[in-house]
Amino acid sequence: MPAPATGSAPTPVNPRSRVLVASLIGTTIEFYDFYIYATAAVLVFPQLFFPSSDPTTALLSSFAVFGAAMVARPVGAVVFGHLGDRLGRKKTLVVSLLTMGLATFLIGVLPTYAQAGWVATALLVLMRLAQGFALGGEWSGAALVATENAPSGKRALYGTFPQLGAPLGFIIGNGLFLLMGALLPSAAGADPTQPSDAFLDWGWRVPFLFSAVMVAIGLWVRSRLVESAVFTKTRASGGVRRLPLATVVRGHGRQLVLGTFIMLATYVLFYLMTTFSLSYGRTAEDAAVPGLGYGYTTFVLMLIFGVLFFAAFTLVSGPLADRYGRRSTLTWITAAIVVFGLVWEPLIGLGTGGVLLWLVLGFTLMGLTFGPMGALLPELFPTSVRYTGSGISYNVSSILGAAVAPFIAVALWEAGDGSPWLVGVYLSAMAVLTLVALLLGKETKDVSLDDGETSRTEDPARSVTATGGS
């Protein structure tokens, strides 16, 4: 754990507006790319890339590929973390954004299973793995840009801006899918919850191709950044590590484990409310495994309404964590997630009003728990391994939480004969694990991120000179 602050925070090298926009726009693009895949995984991929006589099997196959990207994320965290801790935050963020954007664009031009057989499915899996690999390096870099340039006493507030990219990416991505669905509506008499032939033919590709425009904007903003003063000082003092991964595992293993489990409830809630809920909400009430029976457009609009609360309370969480501390704030929020998971069935049983309340409460808790992570995870590690350490914790948690959450949720949904009560219990159980991790951890509100001298003495054999680190 870095030592407590003993002086005032260094003056940010970058203008505050540039820091906030650069950290926000990158994660907005990254989450946009991830969300449009998640939407397509429910809406079109089971039909186009995973044909099966059993719709549930096709859906589970699509979710399995969705989860495969989560497995690639820790690999990306290690690779991009190494680059970020050796070469700097700015260069690494540019590479991760390019990787994500290229993979997403290529998904938009892939042949379908009917056109290329298993080759089409294999290419989709490869592009999905590339997305996960890139996202593994994106989040921690964006969080470091925000927190390492934050003024004193506002680190959690600044850390919420990369987190805000998640709800914004959701709204843009799903909004574009809604627009394409409106322009290419289902044929008269067709099931209104199913996309039209034109949408399945080419309409679903437009959101993937549009990502190229967003990436170009993101690259322009990030190219104007200068390296954070905190990292520059560490590099100048010879504190850059040759092998950041070895250093963080050997010297900060406890923080890695705690950070991973502190993120667990957030990830499970995140993907249950965005990915599983879309499948559950659209499934017909008379299906073999019944759902809520809403049309796609209706339920996505309900989701977007809920995500507005996600965005608002992400920003609210920053000042709360700056005032009351990260650990205490998250402890109360995680306890509320435990309770929320136990009331899924009675809430949803109240009809449309209850479903809306379920979405609002879930996304409100999502914003409150997700926001402080942008500051807490980087604060667990010294500058020389901060990119690697925070990235590994964040992304290993994606395997334990997000990678399996949609898959487990579908299985529990089936086990409950269409009732989501077991899914809610699963969420509560994961939140209990996060509570334990929070109680075992320490408050990070007052630690200093300017710890070049401390990190330099931990492993002198593996430090490099300023020239070697560049």
Side-chain angles (χ1 to χ4, degrees):
M1 182 75 68
T6 56
S8 59
T11 302
V13 175
N14 292 290
R16 294 181 182 181
S17 59
R18 188 179 302 168
V19 168
L20 297 179
V21 172
S23 61
L24 171 63
I25 194 167
T27 52
T28 299
I29 294 168
E30 301 284 354
F31 278 104
Y32 165 86
D33 290 350
F34 235 56
Y35 280 135
I36 60 175
Y37 183 95
T39 301
V42 173
L43 194 63
V44 298
F45 287 167
Q47 300 177 61
L48 298 182
F49 291 93
F50 306 96
S52 171
S53 58
D54 181 359
T56 300
T57 300
L59 178 62
L60 288 174
S61 298
S62 184
F63 276 157
V65 175
F66 180 83
M70 304 300 174
V71 178
R73 286 175 63 166
V75 180
V78 170
V79 174
F80 286 110
H82 179 87
L83 296 175
D85 284 329
R86 286 290 307 276
L87 304 180
R89 292 31 170 152
K90 175 183 174 180
K91 295 177 182 178
T92 307
L93 280 171
V94 169
V95 174
S96 69
L97 185 59
L98 276 172
T99 304
M100 185 73 166
L102 180 60
T104 304
F105 180 85
L106 289 177
I107 289 176
V109 298
L110 288 180
T112 65
Y113 185 89
Q115 296 167 325
W118 66 268
V119 174
T121 304
L123 289 173
L124 178 64
V125 172
L126 180 62
M127 293 303 101
R128 184 60 180 160
L129 290 173
Q131 282 188 316
F133 178 78
L135 189 55
E138 165 60 30
W139 177 85
S140 49
L144 265 55
V145 165
T147 56
E148 289 184 346
N149 288 280
S152 179
K154 294 185 178 180
R155 208 156 56 209
L157 174 61
Y158 271 51
T160 62
F161 276 81
Q163 310 301 76
L164 193 59
L168 291 181
F170 182 94
I171 291 171
I172 297 171
N174 282 279
L176 190 50
F177 262 105
L178 279 180
L179 176 61
M180 295 308 302
L183 294 175
L184 303 171
S186 297
D191 182 351
T193 68
Q194 298 299 320
S196 66
D197 290 340
F199 188 92
L200 289 173
D201 185 34
W202 62 269
W204 68 271
R205 300 177 183 274
V206 173
F208 289 91
L209 300 177
F210 178 72
S211 68
V213 177
M214 300 182 66
V215 168
I217 297 172
L219 289 174
W220 177 77
V221 173
R222 285 187 169 177
S223 68
R224 303 181 67 208
L225 285 174
V226 292
E227 194 55 74
S228 73
V230 171
F231 177 79
T232 301
K233 180 178 178 180
T234 296
R235 181 167 58 186
S237 65
V240 172
R241 303 294 167 185
R242 294 185 188 277
L243 295 173
L245 176 62
T247 301
V248 78
V249 170
R250 184 167 53 247
H252 306 279
R254 185 174 187 272
Q255 288 93 321
L256 283 175
V257 174
L258 288 178
T260 297
F261 281 93
I262 284 171
M263 272 296 304
L264 183 61
T266 302
Y267 261 124
V268 174
L269 178 62
F270 188 48
Y271 284 92
L272 290 183
M273 297 307 301
T274 56
T275 304
F276 167 75
S277 66
L278 181 59
S279 179
Y280 175 63
R282 291 179 57 247
T283 301
E285 294 179 285
D286 59 355
V289 182
L292 296 177
Y294 290 97
Y296 170 74
T297 299
T298 300
F299 197 75
V300 170
L301 288 173
M302 294 168 69
L303 280 175
I304 290 176
F305 177 73
V307 169
L308 294 176
F309 289 82
F310 181 4
F313 281 90
T314 295
L315 291 176
V316 167
S317 70
L320 289 176
D322 276 328
R323 180 173 182 179
Y324 299 108
R326 291 70 158 127
R327 181 173 176 265
S328 58
T329 300
L330 286 169
T331 297
W332 283 105
I333 294 166
T334 306
I337 294 174
V338 174
V339 176
F340 173 68
L342 299 177
V343 299
W344 272 34
E345 188 170 39
L347 277 178
I348 294 172
L350 295 176
T352 297
V355 173
L356 278 173
L357 180 58
W358 170 60
L359 292 173
V360 168
L361 289 176
F363 281 116
T364 295
L365 290 171
M366 185 63 229
L368 290 172
T369 185
F370 192 51
M373 298 298 175
L376 188 154
L377 294 185
E379 289 167 350
L380 292 175
F381 304 94
T383 304
S384 60
V385 295
R386 186 170 295 133
Y387 205 128
T388 301
S390 60
I392 290 175
S393 292
Y394 183 84
N395 290 291
V396 169
S397 188
S398 75
I399 296 178
L400 302 179
V404 297
F407 195 84
I408 291 175
V410 171
L412 293 175
W413 175 25
E414 287 186 313
D417 295 324
S419 169
W421 75 274
L422 285 174
V423 183
V425 171
Y426 164 61
L427 171 63
S428 296
M430 297 302 100
V432 169
L433 293 178
T434 290
L435 268 178
V436 172
L438 286 167
L439 295 175
L440 291 175
K442 296 180 180 179
E443 180 56 61
T444 61
K445 174 177 177 286
D446 296 319
V447 302
S448 174
L449 296 188
D450 187 11
D451 51 21
E453 291 301 313
T454 300
S455 64
R456 188 160 61 95
T457 60
E458 291 171 355
D459 189 11
R462 294 190 176 273
S463 64
V464 295
T465 63
T467 302
S470 62

